Amino acid sequence: MRNVIYKLPDQIANQIAAGEVVQRPGSVVKELIENAVDAHSTCIKVVIKDAGKTLIYVEDNGDGMSHADALLCFERHATSKLKTAEDLFKIATKGFRGEALASIAAISQVEMITKKEGSELATKVIIEGNETKEHEVCAGNKGTQFSVKHLFYNVPARRYFLKSDSIEWKHIVEEFIRVALVHPEVEMILEHNDSVEMHLPAGPLRQRIVKVMGSKFQDWLVPIDEETHWLKIKGFVVKPEGAKKSRGDQYFFVNNRFIKNSYLHHAVQTIFNPNIPDGYFAGYFIQLELDSSLIDVNIHPTKTEIKFQDERSVYAILHAATRRALGIHNALPSLDFDQSGNYVTPVHSGTEIKVPSTGVTGNYNPFGPSAAKRDVVQEWLQLQAEMHQSVKEVQLSGQRSLNDDFQSELEIKPIQLFKKWIVFEYNDEMWMVDQAKAHQQVIFESMMSKPLQIQSQTLLEPFVLDLGEKKKSIFKEVEPCLTTLGFVWELHDNQCSFTAMPVLSNQHEGQEWLMDIFDDWLDGYERVESAQALWTWKKAKGESIRNGQFLTVPEMRELVFDLLKCENPFFNPDHKKIIFKVNSQQIQKAFVL
Ligand code: ADP
Ligand code: MG
């Protein structure tokens, strides 16, 4: 019989593996600046062309590499940061898998010049698709310069899946900021298409956050600072008045590495919830430090997810520390923080680590670690299934709108539940309609079907907004949207002076609008690409009825009919569900243990 198994050539194996590490230009930026930080650089300069699709250049003044290392560093599993498997548990550097450079070199054209301190000459290496094209000694400065050109040039499918320049640029900015916010001691510069988008001088953390996020944060930052014998928490939380309707200002770092963790977010968010409006998100820049043996960073190639050995205790301490920070700084007026400060149980028991007791969370843990993961996945799957279902339903209904069915076939008998949901029976199913979302959708779709009409008014006095480096770096992307909406401005450094804006009820509203537009963009809502959708959606949200409003039966009926006339009655532009349906079997099941 003919054998069918053969070993993939290195080049192909590397390309496949590269897919895990390098998803987009932003991933390359992340890996290269992390390497520069690992190499003890004090200044890192990043130059980008065409959102990284043409060029990603990273220059540092760090340790540099010897001639031999310079040739070896592109090999898979070539690393200076790990020697034995045990070392994995005491990782202090950002990299350690020795995969980044091999992956980057597999899918781009790389030129690297590097020189160690004390070496006379630098080494230059040119490598394309993992094949070394050239290497020579040359003159150069201490440190390393990487040029990564034509990303995915040899993997057309991957290149095809890259998003628009503005979206890829946003990812680059986010990766840059994630390193910048935890290494304020390093000067960092980011240029795009020949203009300097961010220049962050070295300095204290508070100064760096304010520079990145904007001057308002000067007043909003409250230090968080706690230490138990096994966990240190430092950084800042943002006062409740700085909470936002959109995500984007949440930064957790564990041992100087940015991580995402919805469970820990919950620990902070629940402290804020009573003090911020529904649907707002707490902002924070929190650094957790703990022995590397108590975490596992090696669960994902990009390392933004990590496992804590004892996630519940981290949750409890973080929760209490947040409460205390806000309490001490009077950011939460009604807090009794005496009681909440008692979580630290000084343990002087040698090396053995005991879980600190907590007076805060007790057994209450609605988002247990495994539960949290399962929920997200399940919700997503469910959402996908429902999306499919709703598309199918709309297709099935063909020319006949859902509303015709309703009107011709039956009179629905809606009732209002908790002044929030309209509930009725239809076709063996119980339908629950979110009244506020339904009305927003009705207004949104009807406004979208008409041409956009916006009047701009000149302001008697311009209002000046400090954008901060983060917003400034994406200013070019939102410019067309702002222009269409009638904003007129002059930009000097980070100071944007607005001389005209759309006619809104007051200037404050105008400022809020601006902030929301930036946030929407940073959060990745496509609607920002269309000024009309953005404007209309915000208007619709402002004008709709709210939850808590009593509705009569005819009003409910009219709203349901109007909703079902919409093109998208099931999901709103935020991808949130408007209608929830359960059939009688599902209800029946709920009664079975
Ligand atoms: P890792 O960071 O996981 O070790 P990489 O593929 O990112 O793997 O890098 C491989 C090795 O190349 C690093 O361990 C380091 O020794 C060296 N290196 C990479 N970038 C730099 C740099 N900017 N300065 C000095 N050495 C570097
Ligand atoms: Mg690395």
Side-chain angles (χ1 to χ4, degrees), residues 148-168:
V148 176
K149 293 182 193 150
H150 306 125
L151 192 65
F152 299 131
Y153 78 103
N154 52 355
V155 203
R158 301 291 305 281
R159 201 171 166 85
Y160 175 79
F161 278 108
L162 289 177
K163 297 272 168 42
S164 67
D165 279 11
S166 72
I167 292 189
E168 294 301 343

Side-chain angles (χ1 to χ4, degrees), residues 238-250 265 268-269 272-273 276-284 523 525 576:
V238 180
K239 283 185 183 168
E241 65 239 55
K244 292 248 203 67
K245 270 177 268 180
S246 59
R247 284 176 183 274
D249 297 347
Q250 289 83 33
H265 169 74
V268 178
Q269 180 73 30
F272 279 80
N273 277 345
I276 56 179
D278 228 16
Y280 276 58
F281 294 97
Y284 48 80
D523 279 356
Y525 285 115
K576 298 260 163 56

Side-chain angles (χ1 to χ4, degrees), residues 548-564:
Q549 185 169 332
F550 172 77
L551 297 180
T552 64
V553 170
E555 280 169 345
M556 287 192 272
R557 206 172 267 144
E558 190 184 328
L559 180 53
V560 170
F561 288 154
D562 284 347
L563 174 67
L564 295 170

Side-chain angles (χ1 to χ4, degrees), residues 35-36 39 60 64-65 73 78-81 95-101 144:
N35 279 346
D60 70 49
M65 282 178 259
C73 69
T79 179
S80 55
K81 303 168 191 173
F96 56 82
R97 296 165 62 118
E99 276 177 335
L101 295 186
T144 306

